[in-house]
Amino acid sequence: MTERRTKTIKTDYLARVEGEGAMRVRIVDGQVEEVKLDIYEPPRFFEAFLRGRAFTEAPDITARICGICPVAYQMSSVHAMEQACGVEVGGQLRALRRLLYCGEWIESHALHVFMLHAPDFLGYESAIALAKDMPEVVAQALELKKTGNELMTVIGGREVHPINVKVGGWYRTPRKRELRPLVEKLERAREISLETVRIVSGFHFPDYDQDYELVALDEPGAYPVDLGRIVSNRGIDIPVEEYEDHFVEEHVEWSNALHSKVIERGSYLCGPLARFALSFDRLSPLAKEAAKEVGLDATVRNPFRSIVVRAVELVYAADEALRLIGEYEEPDAPAVAVEPRAGVGHGASEAPRGLLYHRYEIDDEGTILSAKIVPPTSQNQRTIEDDLRGVVERSLDVPDEELSLLCEQTIRNYDPCISCATHFLKLDVERR
């Protein structure tokens, strides 16, 4: 009997990702037999927390799901509640939501590009090690992140878990004079972002183009941020309320986070690559020019190049924030009245990592009866595992240590937010 040759590539504690996870790849006789992204961070049961609470509490409760992308959770939740109550928020109140979101994109993308992902391409184990040799680059990254945080503070009340967002609008809207000091900082952030595009486009990228189904919001006349229909490059074009007719979550034994897929099709990809491909023509002229300058096509199929697309989105977010501030007029009231009514509401927005879907059922007093939240990391998990398999199959002759690092880099392409993903676990109790 011929003995089978088995090799396992594993990382028990993934570094430079938000949350706790592991990776395992088993190779048998030169064939990849098993690939697992093991998310073992305990579930936090946010959907259960929401049941029985007032519909007005959803923005503040869901913001606590993540300290990096709280605005995404707030925006998806308020859109869902407003839909359930038959209310639309427009004008400057809606523009302020987009402006707050720009702050989150800036701080989150800056963190990922410089602190979490760039060390992979530059051969450093961490941003701290990178700072020893390139202090000016890390200093610019911190400046960029600080500007995003300041924008979130002015609009949202504080930089982590903003407290100024409410169903119907805001508790308080800013004065023009409060926004004015941000202009110079955002212009500087835009300059840093343009330079970032040039820097990261010069990295060495593994040869790994894939034919993904790309899924993102589509907003007429605007790059997708906080509203729109859900579309894909393979024919999906639906209102947000039809999300669950086309996408389903499944439990796998090795992960505390549910896996999402397109019904009857399988894996898909959301996030910067999807937004960029589906709405390239709606980037600001400067962001579009920055992309073309470094040779980015409208569709980027190599996930390792996602770092360049995120840098282009940094340019866009700074540009868009400046536009919104320039056009801002103080509204007459900080919010529109919202009266609860029994119904179901759906909301979606584009977190830095991709599409974030919320659904709530409320009664006629506004009490939340049920909640469903599908984070972008859950939606990307199957595709991350597909990529791990594909990268390993192309790199079987690479030494184990180098292959392990390449696998970790493959995961970090998606900037996974594991804490966001482990929000729910279905528990069946059998008593005898």
Side-chain angles (χ1 to χ4, degrees):
M1 177 180 286
T2 304
E3 184 177 351
R4 302 182 79 193
R5 294 172 298 163
T6 301
K7 179 168 66 173
T8 301
I9 305 295
K10 68 176 183 177
T11 300
D12 292 327
Y13 306 97
L14 289 170
R16 283 184 276 123
V17 298
E18 198 286 317
E20 299 173 353
M23 170 202 68
R24 177 186 173 93
V25 178
R26 187 167 71 238
I27 303 166
V28 179
D29 291 337
Q31 301 293 320
V32 179
E33 188 173 272
E34 180 183 75
V35 174
K36 291 181 177 178
L37 175 60
D38 178 7
I39 291 180
Y40 54 78
E41 181 164 321
R44 296 184 294 151
F45 308 111
F46 268 89
E47 281 128 327
F49 294 160
L50 286 157
R51 290 199 297 270
R53 306 301 289 261
F55 77 110
T56 53
E57 294 182 88
D60 290 323
I61 293 174
T62 58
R64 269 66 178 179
I65 292 175
C66 185
I68 300 172
C69 50
V71 174
Y73 286 92
Q74 292 184 315
M75 292 301 106
S76 291
S77 69
V78 296
H79 293 157
M81 292 306 181
E82 288 159 3
Q83 187 191 73
C85 297
V87 171
E88 287 190 18
V89 174
Q92 290 298 325
L93 299 180
R94 190 292 172 97
L96 281 172
R97 288 179 170 180
R98 194 171 176 90
L99 182 57
L100 178 65
Y101 226 133
C102 287
E104 179 161 282
W105 274 25
I106 291 169
E107 62 87 10
S108 180
H109 278 353
L111 174 67
H112 174 76
V113 168
F114 290 97
M115 307 298 182
L116 306 181
H117 210 189
D120 284 325
F121 295 96
L122 297 172
Y124 291 90
E125 64 179 15
S126 69
I128 294 173
L130 175 63
K132 292 179 181 179
D133 293 339
M134 301 181 181
E136 69 289 343
V137 171
V138 175
Q140 286 190 344
L142 293 173
E143 182 181 353
L144 196 56
K145 190 177 189 308
K146 183 178 180 181
T147 297
N149 287 343
E150 288 185 22
L151 180 54
M152 291 174 68
T153 299
V154 172
I155 306 296
R158 63 186 185 194
E159 61 194 41
V160 179
H161 311 320
I163 54 174
N164 193 29
V165 176
K166 67 178 292 186
V167 179
W170 307 88
Y171 290 101
R172 175 188 179 275
T173 51
R175 300 287 192 181
K176 281 187 175 183
R177 66 173 181 270
E178 295 174 272
L179 296 176
R180 207 168 293 127
L182 291 168
V183 171
E184 185 176 349
K185 295 176 181 180
L186 284 164
E187 288 173 343
R188 170 65 177 157
R190 186 169 58 185
E191 292 176 9
I192 295 173
S193 299
L194 285 167
E195 182 59 25
T196 301
V197 174
R198 300 183 188 104
I199 291 171
V200 299
S201 66
F203 291 166
H204 169 72
F205 301 102
D207 183 13
Y208 187 73
D209 279 21
Q210 295 297 297
D211 186 19
Y212 300 108
E213 177 158 14
L214 304 169
V215 176
L217 290 181
D218 177 78
E219 183 179 347
Y223 197 71
V225 176
D226 61 328
L227 285 175
R229 294 172 65 85
I230 298 172
V231 301
S232 85
N233 60 335
R234 295 185 185 169
I236 293 174
D237 187 351
I238 58 172
V240 173
E241 53 266 30
E242 293 182 14
Y243 176 89
E244 292 175 68
D245 296 332
H246 296 264
F247 302 88
V248 65
E249 290 183 294
E250 298 177 333
H251 179 258
V252 295
E253 62 180 348
W254 60 88
S255 177
N256 283 344
L258 300 174
H259 281 206
S260 294
K261 69 176 184 178
V262 178
I263 296 172
E264 296 183 354
R265 281 216 289 274
S267 306
Y268 62 99
L269 182 152
C270 61
L273 293 188
R275 291 191 292 260
F276 187 80
L278 296 169
S279 298
F280 176 83
D281 60 327
R282 283 168 253 171
L283 285 166
S284 65
L286 187 62
K288 198 182 304 181
E289 180 184 332
K292 290 179 178 178
E293 181 185 312
V294 298
L296 281 189
D297 295 326
T299 300
V300 179
R301 299 190 180 279
N302 185 335
F304 292 93
R305 291 185 183 272
S306 63
I307 191 171
V308 189
V309 176
R310 279 189 173 87
V312 171
E313 287 195 337
L314 275 169
V315 176
Y316 174 78
D319 231 11
E320 180 72 348
L322 286 164
R323 180 188 72 80
L324 290 166
I325 290 173
E327 296 177 358
Y328 179 64
E329 296 294 337
E330 295 174 19
D332 295 331
V336 299
V338 181
E339 295 297 328
R341 67 182 188 185
V344 177
H346 309 257
S349 63
E350 284 288 341
R353 293 153 188 82
L355 185 71
L356 173 59
Y357 168 77
H358 287 218
R359 175 192 35 82
Y360 301 95
E361 181 182 2
I362 62 174
D363 66 17
D364 55 9
E365 294 182 350
T367 301
I368 299 172
L369 303 177
S370 67
K372 180 172 182 176
I373 300 171
V374 188
T377 295
S378 290
Q379 298 182 69
N380 281 332
Q381 276 185 100
R382 285 172 59 102
T383 300
I384 294 172
E385 291 186 345
D386 292 345
D387 279 357
L388 282 170
R389 181 179 295 275
V391 166
V392 171
E393 286 176 345
R394 296 179 182 211
S395 311
L396 291 171
D397 57 343
V398 172
D400 288 2
E401 184 177 353
E402 185 179 337
L403 182 57
S404 180
L405 291 173
L406 181 59
C407 287
E408 288 192 51
Q409 183 179 4
T410 301
I411 295 169
R412 283 190 284 267
N413 287 337
Y414 289 81
D415 189 19
C417 190
I418 290 170
S419 295
C420 288
T422 57
H423 60 89
F424 175 74
L425 183 66
K426 183 177 180 180
L427 178 65
D428 292 323
V429 178
E430 181 179 341
R431 299 183 185 271
R432 293 189 180 184

